[in-house]
Amino acid sequence: MLITVDPSARASLADQVTTQVRVAIARGDLAAGDRLPSARDLAAAIDVNMHTVLRAYARLQEDGLIELRRGRGATVLRSGNATFDRLRDLVGELRDQADALGVPLDELITMLKGAR
């Protein structure tokens, strides 16, 4: 699993790490039982403070995606491939609806970006 961060991005570094792990789990790139790099190792690899990675891991644990055990690291609790597949289906349905309404793809993307 490759994690990268962009210090100039609007999202915090911890949010970037959290999002990338979530996506990897959703896609099935990380499965239940897989171990994540230690916070220290990941922080060194992406050149961030270890507490940034710990904050990201804590959020993932709160959401029930990983388990943190002192001295044993972080382990993925559940795989989300089916969730990602459903999301892909929903995006396809949304694209079909936008096409039917004559909404161009670039406008749909703009709408999605602002829909938070």
Side-chain angles (χ1 to χ4, degrees):
M1 177 182 72
L2 177 65
I3 292 180
T4 59
V5 294
D6 178 2
S8 64
R10 287 180 25 180
S12 73
L13 298 173
D15 286 343
Q16 291 178 54
V17 172
T18 302
T19 298
Q20 290 180 51
V21 173
R22 278 183 208 279
V23 169
I25 291 170
R27 283 189 177 148
D29 297 339
L30 288 172
D34 285 351
R35 292 189 54 160
L36 297 177
S38 72
R40 185 180 318 273
D41 289 347
L42 182 55
I46 61 176
D47 197 28
V48 299
N49 186 291
M50 181 178 68
H51 295 286
T52 299
V53 176
L54 288 172
R55 200 166 28 255
Y57 281 6
R59 290 177 189 158
L60 294 164
Q61 182 179 30
E62 289 170 8
D63 292 340
L65 296 174
I66 68 170
E67 176 182 45
L68 292 174
R69 289 203 174 180
R70 187 174 201 103
R72 297 177 102 175
T75 305
V76 176
L77 288 178
R78 57 186 166 153
S79 191
N81 204 8
T83 302
F84 189 76
D85 290 342
R86 177 66 183 133
L87 182 59
R88 187 178 313 137
D89 291 344
L90 290 170
V91 169
E93 291 172 23
L94 179 62
R95 178 68 194 270
D96 291 344
Q97 290 291 322
D99 286 345
L101 294 170
V103 177
L105 179 59
D106 58 340
E107 188 173 332
L108 178 61
I109 292 169
T110 300
M111 293 168 70
L112 285 169
K113 287 180 179 178
R116 289 207 173 231

